Amino acid sequence: MNTLAAEVLRAVHDVVNCQSQVLSTERINNLLKLGCHYLNVQTGLVSHVENDTYTVKYSYSETADIPAETTFPLGDTYCSVTLTANEVITTTHASESDEYSGHPCYEKFQLQTYLGLPIRVNGITWGTLNFTSPETRLTPFTELDIELMSLICSAIETIIINSSKTKRLEKLAYTDFLTGLSNRLFITERFEELEPNDNKFANVTCFAIIDVDHFKKVNDNYGHDAGDEVLQQTARKIAGLVRISDCVSRVGGEEFALLLTDLPREKAERVLEKVRTAIEGNAITIDKNQSIKVTVSIGATELKAEDEFNSAYKKADLALYKSKRDGRNRVSWSSN
């Protein structure tokens, strides 16, 4: 076995045994690069195929830059043939092949050499792995070439599956299961990314805590299913009244936290008042014949450059306590 083949096997082994901390994109690109060098072709591509659209997800090319998310009609690619196969398909002289010489891909790109294999994720065809070159290959592909192509494809399938699992786990880690909002961990990390302007300019970043008034009575009088419905509808109301750039999270029990970024103070006040009145005016259906209304108390603070999550939370919580003490169903601001 030659040196390049051994290097491909080591890279595949690394993926299968999860010994590398390198990002998925870099690992796939490295596999494509090794495959191109070993097979003596110019370009290696991993595509995602959905309906009739071929989308480049990863690429390596010695001659051209092929950006991720570049799309082609599936029918204009040799992968329209690859997707019907259960094994590696190859051609070393497309212009002399009945199957490829009349194909739109040959007429458009003049690719003489091609290897392709479907990528399957959890038993479903996800896309293709292919290596191509406009030059004719003088010798046919060997059994070792075909086997290494299959191993590269298996390694890429493993990376895609693991990457998908990681994304799902990250989403679960940052999501409140009941309301679908982000959770305390997410807003804490989002807070760390902020750069408050310490009030030197007209706009501020506001941190607020929103607490459902008398929530225990809802659970006691109507049951926990009704309590869950109150939390879910309250979450939807709040999320529907803020911008995409803002952040609303459920941080525990009947308590929500809200970050309003880069707003004039008066506008931040109006947003919080709008949240309060929208929830007050919302009738929540808890069964076919019964609906209830709830209110919220809100405590808010303007963030200063030196604020950390815990200090901002404490100031907003003191303002919330003032709202509760003064009769609930109101917005109070920290004096900072």
Side-chain angles (χ1 to χ4, degrees):
M1 185 182 297
N2 64 36
T3 303
L4 269 174
E7 195 171 347
V8 172
L9 284 175
R10 279 196 296 271
V12 170
H13 181 271
D14 171 65
V15 169
V16 172
N17 291 280
C18 301
Q19 293 175 352
S20 173
Q21 300 301 313
V22 178
L23 294 173
S24 298
T25 298
E26 189 173 337
R27 299 173 82 183
I28 291 179
N29 288 344
N30 185 49
L31 286 167
L32 292 175
K33 179 179 179 180
L34 288 170
C36 284
H37 290 175
Y38 172 73
L39 296 167
N40 195 28
V41 296
Q42 287 186 1
T43 302
L45 297 174
V46 170
S47 74
H48 178 49
V49 176
E50 194 167 15
N51 299 322
D52 294 322
T53 301
Y54 172 107
T55 303
V56 174
K57 289 297 181 182
Y58 306 92
S59 69
Y60 171 80
S61 179
E62 298 174 350
T63 59
D65 180 30
I66 307 174
E69 303 306 321
T70 300
T71 62
F72 301 96
L74 177 61
D76 287 352
T77 70
Y78 288 150
C79 291
S80 58
V81 180
T82 302
L83 289 172
T84 64
N86 291 315
E87 57 186 7
V88 179
I89 64 168
T90 69
T91 181
T92 58
H93 207 153
S95 60
E96 296 183 359
S97 164
D98 292 339
E99 187 169 22
Y100 295 99
S101 60
H103 197 283
C105 185
Y106 179 73
E107 295 180 3
K108 191 169 184 177
F109 300 107
Q110 297 291 300
L111 297 174
Q112 290 281 15
T113 300
Y114 176 83
L115 297 89
L117 186 62
I119 294 173
R120 293 188 171 89
V121 174
N122 299 324
I124 298 171
T125 300
W126 183 89
T128 62
L129 166 66
N130 60 84
F131 292 95
T132 63
S133 188
E135 285 83 23
T136 299
R137 182 183 170 99
L138 299 178
T139 59
F141 291 108
T142 66
E143 289 187 12
L144 178 58
D145 297 336
I146 302 301
E147 184 61 29
L148 284 176
M149 172 79 170
S150 298
L151 288 173
I152 291 171
C153 190
S154 295
I156 289 171
E157 288 172 346
T158 299
I159 293 172
I160 291 170
I161 290 168
N162 289 341
S163 177
S164 177
K165 288 178 180 176
T166 299
K167 288 176 182 175
R168 286 199 298 270
L169 287 172
E170 286 177 350
K171 184 176 181 181
L172 287 172
Y174 289 119
T175 303
D176 173 60
F177 74 96
L178 178 64
T179 63
L181 296 177
S182 59
N183 59 17
R184 188 184 185 111
L185 175 61
F186 181 88
I187 200 168
T188 302
E189 293 189 4
R190 174 75 180 88
F191 193 96
E192 292 171 356
E193 298 169 358
L194 294 174
E195 295 182 358
N197 58 28
D198 70 8
N199 291 336
K200 290 180 181 178
F201 304 99
N203 291 356
V204 301
T205 294
C206 158
F207 179 76
I209 301 174
I210 304 168
D211 188 89
V212 180
D213 295 326
H214 302 298
F215 183 71
K216 184 175 184 301
K217 289 184 179 179
V218 175
N219 282 331
D220 291 345
N221 294 336
Y222 302 102
H224 288 279
D225 287 345
D228 288 348
E229 188 64 34
V230 166
L231 293 175
Q232 290 167 342
Q233 290 207 29
T234 300
R236 287 196 289 270
K237 277 291 180 186
I238 300 170
L241 292 169
V242 298
R243 303 164 301 174
I244 294 175
S245 58
D246 298 321
C247 179
V248 55
S249 301
R250 183 184 177 209
V251 292
E254 66 272 26
E255 199 165 88
F256 303 88
L258 177 61
L259 273 173
L260 299 174
T261 57
D262 193 27
L263 277 177
R265 165 68 184 256
E266 315 84 71
K267 191 163 186 179
E269 290 174 351
R270 289 199 297 271
V271 171
L272 294 180
E273 184 61 20
K274 187 184 291 186
V275 167
R276 185 195 67 77
T277 56
I279 293 170
E280 180 185 29
N282 184 44
I284 299 171
T285 301
I286 57 175
D287 60 39
K288 291 181 179 179
N289 303 311
Q290 192 171 28
S291 62
I292 60 175
K293 288 189 174 184
V294 297
T295 60
V296 293
S297 296
I298 302 175
T301 185
E302 293 179 19
L303 295 187
K304 300 292 183 66
E306 67 272 13
D307 275 329
E308 297 180 350
F309 181 81
N310 287 338
S311 62
Y313 196 98
K314 188 174 295 184
K315 287 190 283 189
D317 198 41
L318 287 172
L320 174 66
Y321 178 75
K322 183 177 187 305
S323 288
K324 297 280 188 181
R325 186 185 60 212
D326 291 347
R328 294 182 167 83
N329 189 24
R330 66 193 64 229
V331 180
S332 298
W333 284 77
S334 166
S335 60
N336 283 330

